[in-house]
Amino acid sequence: MSEIRNETPLIEVRNLKEHFPIQVSGLKTKPLKAVDGVSFSIKRGETLGLVGESGCGKTTVGRTILNLYKPTSGEIIYDGKPIKTAADIKEFRKKATMVFQDPYSSLNPRMTVADIIGEPLDVHKLYKTKEERQARILELMDYVGLNSEHAARYAHEFSGGQRQRIGIARALAVNPEFIVCDEPVSALDVSIQAQVINMFQELQEKLGLTYLFIAHDLLVVRHISDRIAVMYLGKMVELADADEIYDHPMHPYSKSLLSSVPVPDPNIARANKRIILEGDIPSPLNAPSGCPFRTRCRYATDVCAQSMPEFKEVKPGHFCACHNLENVD
Amino acid sequence: MNLKKLSMHPDLDCFAPASEAEKEYMVQMRPSSTFFKDGVKRLMKNKIAVISFFVIVIITLCSIILPMFWPYKYDQMLGVRPGRPVNSSYNNLAPFEYGEKELERMAEGEKIFPHIFGTDAQGRDYFIRVVYGARISLAVGFFASLIVLVIGLTVGSISGYCGGKVDIVIMRIVDIIYSLPDMLMVILLSTVLKEVLAPLIAGTVLEKLGVNMISLFIVFGLLYWVSMSRQIRGQILSLREQEYVLAAQATGARGKWIIMKHLLPNCISVVVISTALQIPSAIFTESYLSFLGLGVNAPMPSLGSLASDALNGMNSYPYRLVIPAIVISLIVLSLNLFGDGLRDAFDPKLNG
Ligand SMILES: Nc1ncnc2c1ncn2[C@@H]1O[C@H](COP(=O)(O)OP(=O)(O)O)[C@@H](O)[C@H]1O
Ligand code: SF4
Ligand SMILES: [Mg+2]
């Protein structure tokens, strides 16, 4: 965890919504609320971890922030300036990049490593001579621990871990400030995950990067994040410092998530009650009214079905959205 | 030493840290090879495809080169000489038979090039007619596929890339064309176009090619692009969803860059394969149209019209029907087998 340099956020997201129109019958469409009113901010040099079950909208949040999907509504403010027009977006693309979850489908099988890493340089015309381009590509490969001899090879010749390094080098090419890391290690072997995570941290220190780090694995996020946000069904349910959320989770959903994390110490493990979530996550097409978690929540009351709990600051720096916090033990 | 094998103790040597060389071995990768090289390698392993390829090459080369130095022309009636009565001894020669004059000249010790397949009812050397017919059929197949490729590629990629309403409209048109009985449409269109086009092209270079040929190409352009465009569209649609396209968008790349760098290069194999498979189907269509008398113009032979002409004398000269039929089958079969080989070697779905 690197030092957080100042208090004004590098990126701020206000009430972001992303609704995908889904065809239900004939020409009728229904909105699939993949992200439904999410707000948070990330300070320069900070890592915000984003966790939640698969399908809860993490990837969509990351992609919408980068304007890969046009937001249905809400504001994205980068470095104090809202990102709205095509010109804003073009400029924004040089500062914010993405590392994708799947190191296989995110690299074009017909391109060499050098061309993949050099693509952002080509698109933004960031070099004057071929030599300059080549030198920059080799420098990037060196950053991520790839051998310069690999430059002329095709991505399919590499292992998953090496492919993900190529993806990271591509994300670093434009010298970005902010990187959305969408489950960058979940497709990798456990033995390689730690290496790649450490590399993310080293790069952050060396280059002063800010991360939105999406993950599935709570141990991984805890290791790398300064703060952690928990999502459920397109909504943010809890947000706090990494240690705070691990030691004192408040929202019933966060509690159940954390109770399923394996703990190395058997005494602690025994002391921790395992809370097993019943039922499946509802489809975002037919989300429950009020609190999205109420169909699986042990503490649900009538009010939960009627209104969506407000996402409010419960303790300094600790946000949570639940009507019945005082009853949750 | 041998006793140790029975021991239940683990061999500690197995747990020694890997040496540098061993580590290097672990991370060693497949030797560098491109998608294209891989495909060619796989293709070369497929014996049937290789043989088919050579058959195609030999037939193509023969049909191009042989007519250049063959002593007879495809439209040369050997019994007809200016200023002399028609010598009918040249008509309907059996293979390796000679006409009267030729026999005389041979008696004088002159060497006469044999009529390998004999001659037809008008005294034309049948071998060169078959060779020439193969040339016409191959050319028709090639150019018709080219037309299909251009139209199919354009329509398919527009439909796939734009998606939405454009896609829906184009695909309904494709469905309509699909649902037409294509044999019937081809015959009807050829007949109608023949009437319409004849006055239009009179006196131009196109006239020599024959109005039937032109209408044949138009028919291909109108009807046969649909399956090609469907395949390209499907390919583009699935490629568009690939994460590397999204990754390119995330770097700021726009439409043209994405189509040129990401979509088309990944379509090439589908394009090549469906074009290769289109050629035999075009040749086949040309043959049966010629067989029905809707093909090439009279003195010019095509394999189909040769077979059709041979029908008249089928009882006496069955080989005149059999030979062009065998050549058509050989061309169509080897093109199909080669196309299948290409698909097996280059289809990305099969090689993961
Ligand atoms: N492009 C899209 N079109 C329609 N629905 C989508 C699209 N992308 C994601 N979704 C839907 O949005 C929901 C959230 O998906 P996603 O953001 O990928 O979740 P996560 O990354 O947390 O697993 C899922 O129900 C998914 O089916
Ligand atoms: S608002 Fe109600 S349903 Fe939602 S988490 Fe709190 S108690 Fe459970
Ligand atoms: Mg995801």
Side-chain angles (χ1 to χ4, degrees):
Chain A
M1 270 159 266
S2 61
E3 197 185 325
I4 296 152
R5 262 167 275 157
N6 62 47
E7 287 299 305
T8 55
L10 177 67
I11 187 158
E12 192 178 349
V13 175
R14 285 193 201 144
N15 202 16
L16 188 72
K17 290 188 183 174
E18 181 63 59
H19 297 178
F20 295 113
I22 298 289
Q23 229 173 36
V24 269
S25 64
L27 293 173
K28 262 201 214 140
T29 60
K30 193 174 173 185
L32 184 152
K33 301 181 178 175
V35 175
D36 199 24
V38 163
S39 308
F40 59 87
S41 61
I42 311 176
K43 299 183 201 80
R44 204 175 269 277
E46 187 190 29
T47 301
L48 177 70
L50 185 59
V51 298
E53 274 167 292
S54 101
C56 70
K58 306 182 296 292
T59 300
T60 310
V61 168
R63 291 182 179 174
T64 311
I65 292 178
L66 293 187
N67 261 286
L68 288 176
Y69 300 148
K70 196 175 163 3
T72 309
S73 70
E75 267 187 302
I76 298 152
I77 299 157
Y78 187 81
D79 220 357
K81 288 188 285 288
I83 306 293
K84 286 224 174 75
T85 64
D88 293 341
I89 293 173
K90 191 163 179 241
E91 210 40 44
F92 183 48
R93 296 245 179 275
K94 288 191 212 168
K95 293 179 185 154
T97 59
M98 182 154 192
V99 175
F100 288 81
Q101 173 171 5
D102 183 352
Y104 293 88
S105 75
S106 61
L107 304 180
N108 187 337
R110 302 279 186 286
M111 280 165 83
T112 62
V113 172
D115 283 338
I116 291 172
I117 298 177
E119 184 173 30
L121 305 175
D122 299 335
V123 168
H124 294 290
K125 302 190 178 63
L126 292 179
Y127 53 86
K128 289 187 195 71
T129 62
K130 276 228 160 75
E131 292 73 38
E132 203 180 323
R133 176 179 186 266
Q134 190 65 14
R136 174 72 178 143
I137 290 170
L138 292 180
E139 181 189 25
L140 288 163
M141 290 179 71
D142 184 50
Y143 275 164
V144 297
L146 285 170
N147 196 326
S148 61
E149 285 152 24
H150 297 162
R153 296 192 173 209
Y154 286 81
H156 70 250
E157 298 165 35
F158 293 86
S159 66
Q162 284 168 313
R163 283 168 153 258
Q164 200 56 297
R165 286 167 195 264
I166 300 170
I168 296 166
R170 169 174 63 192
L172 293 174
V174 290
N175 238 330
E177 298 171 319
F178 174 60
I179 303 183
V180 174
C181 313
D182 184 6
E183 303 199 34
V185 297
S186 64
L188 306 182
D189 269 11
V190 179
S191 56
I192 301 165
Q193 288 189 355
Q195 282 177 24
V196 176
I197 293 280
N198 288 336
M199 197 176 75
F200 271 107
Q201 285 188 314
E202 281 162 26
L203 288 169
Q204 182 170 46
E205 268 155 42
K206 193 149 106 192
L207 305 172
L209 298 168
T210 306
Y211 292 145
L212 173 64
F213 200 96
I214 300 172
H216 199 71
D217 182 333
L218 288 151
L219 285 177
V220 167
V221 232
R222 180 176 200 179
H223 182 66
I224 196 168
S225 307
D226 299 298
R227 286 187 304 147
I228 291 177
V230 181
M231 271 187 82
Y232 187 81
L233 217 58
K235 297 213 164 67
M236 202 163 270
V237 295
E238 189 161 6
L239 170 71
D241 279 352
D243 292 333
E244 164 78 5
I245 214 167
Y246 272 83
D247 299 337
H248 311 288
M250 286 184 178
H251 195 277
Y253 179 61
S254 316
K255 279 185 189 261
S256 64
L257 266 190
L258 286 167
S259 77
S260 63
V261 176
V263 179
D265 185 338
N267 290 326
I268 300 177
R270 230 170 278 129
N272 264 351
K273 284 191 301 229
R274 265 190 76 113
I275 307 164
I276 304 205
L277 273 183
E278 278 162 20
D280 285 326
I281 182 166
S283 151
L285 261 182
N286 319 296
S289 63
C291 173
F293 188 53
R294 72 178 164 83
T295 52
R296 298 161 85 189
C297 181
R298 293 197 293 152
Y299 310 97
T301 53
D302 290 344
V303 64
C304 304
Q306 280 148 20
S307 66
M308 170 65 203
E310 195 193 337
F311 189 59
K312 54 177 185 275
E313 196 161 10
V314 188
K315 279 195 236 166
H318 194 150
F319 295 80
C320 188
C322 177
H323 286 302
N324 302 328
L325 269 186
E326 56 282 3
N327 302 334
V328 177
D329 49 46
Chain B
M1 236 4 218
N2 275 345
L3 274 182
K4 222 178 165 186
K5 273 189 181 157
L6 297 172
S7 156
M8 297 298 276
H9 285 290
D11 182 359
L12 287 179
D13 290 344
C14 291
F15 297 92
S19 69
E20 280 308 311
E22 280 167 331
K23 277 185 195 159
E24 191 55 35
Y25 177 76
M26 292 297 287
V27 299
Q28 203 177 40
M29 294 170 307
R30 292 209 288 132
S32 177
S33 93
T34 64
F35 171 77
F36 181 73
K37 276 192 219 151
D38 271 359
V40 171
K41 227 182 275 166
R42 271 193 295 269
L43 190 62
M44 296 305 277
K45 279 203 198 115
N46 185 341
K47 285 214 184 65
I48 293 176
V50 173
I51 293 172
S52 308
F53 179 71
F54 278 112
V55 171
I56 298 163
V57 168
I58 290 170
I59 293 181
T60 312
L61 285 181
C62 285
S63 72
I64 293 172
I65 295 168
L66 281 185
M68 287 179 192
F69 62 84
W70 206 254
Y72 311 109
K73 295 266 165 299
Y74 73 90
D75 55 353
Q76 180 188 8
M77 301 182 199
L78 297 173
V80 181
R81 266 148 221 256
R84 286 190 215 176
V86 175
N87 185 342
S88 61
S89 71
Y90 283 95
N91 299 357
N92 293 328
L93 290 178
F96 294 100
E97 272 188 358
Y98 297 92
E100 265 171 20
K101 272 267 148 42
E102 286 172 338
L103 287 172
E104 283 169 24
R105 277 155 63 196
M106 279 167 75
E108 288 163 17
E110 208 177 323
K111 272 220 165 84
I112 297 285
F113 204 85
H115 306 294
I116 298 174
F117 293 157
T119 57
D120 68 3
Q122 271 128 35
R124 293 175 293 202
D125 184 81
Y126 203 61
F127 180 81
I128 196 65
R129 282 185 72 74
V130 171
V131 169
Y132 210 85
R135 180 200 258 197
I136 298 281
S137 293
L138 281 170
V140 168
F142 184 77
F143 284 109
S145 304
L146 210 63
I147 293 175
V148 168
L149 171 69
V150 171
I151 298 179
L153 189 66
T154 319
V155 176
S157 38
I158 290 175
S159 186
Y161 191 75
C162 297
K165 296 212 172 68
V166 178
D167 184 40
I168 292 175
V169 170
I170 292 180
M171 282 305 116
R172 288 304 83 76
I173 294 174
V174 166
D175 286 342
I176 291 169
I177 294 180
Y178 248 112
S179 67
L180 299 173
D182 58 346
M183 294 286 174
L184 194 62
M185 283 309 290
V186 169
I187 294 168
L188 283 178
L189 273 175
S190 309
T191 326
V192 173
L193 283 171
K194 202 170 156 180
E195 300 295 315
V196 178
L197 282 178
L200 284 181
I201 61 166
T204 61
V205 205
L206 293 176
E207 195 177 21
K208 188 150 181 268
L209 200 60
V211 68
N212 281 336
M213 277 312 217
I214 312 267
S215 60
L216 188 73
F217 285 132
I218 293 179
V219 165
F220 266 97
L222 285 178
L223 295 183
Y224 280 63
W225 56 271
V226 285
S227 72
M228 173 80 83
S229 75
R230 253 196 192 171
Q231 285 181 44
I232 307 268
R233 166 189 175 263
Q235 188 73 8
I236 298 261
L237 269 187
S238 77
L239 288 175
R240 222 174 49 145
E241 299 302 316
Q242 293 288 318
E243 263 185 3
Y244 56 77
V245 173
L246 202 68
Q249 282 165 353
T251 68
R254 308 298 289 268
K256 191 180 159 209
W257 176 278
I258 288 172
I259 292 179
M260 299 305 291
K261 285 270 175 180
H262 295 282
L263 299 183
L264 285 186
N266 284 289
C267 268
I268 289 280
S269 49
V270 170
V271 170
V272 170
I273 293 160
S274 16
T275 311
L277 289 173
Q278 190 67 51
I279 297 176
S281 126
I283 290 178
F284 189 77
T285 309
E286 185 276 332
S287 297
Y288 85 70
L289 281 179
S290 294
F291 191 82
L292 295 176
L294 292 168
V296 291
N297 270 10
M300 214 185 265
S302 88
L303 293 173
S305 67
L306 287 176
S308 161
D309 292 346
L311 275 185
N312 297 330
M314 203 168 70
N315 289 330
S316 332
Y317 316 106
Y319 59 89
R320 280 196 216 151
L321 178 59
V322 173
I323 291 168
I326 289 180
V327 177
I328 295 177
S329 316
L330 206 60
I331 293 176
V332 172
L333 183 69
S334 34
L335 277 168
N336 270 324
L337 290 175
F338 180 64
D340 283 345
L342 270 185
R343 171 161 50 212
D344 292 346
F346 284 96
D347 197 321
K349 269 168 222 116
L350 289 177
N351 55 51

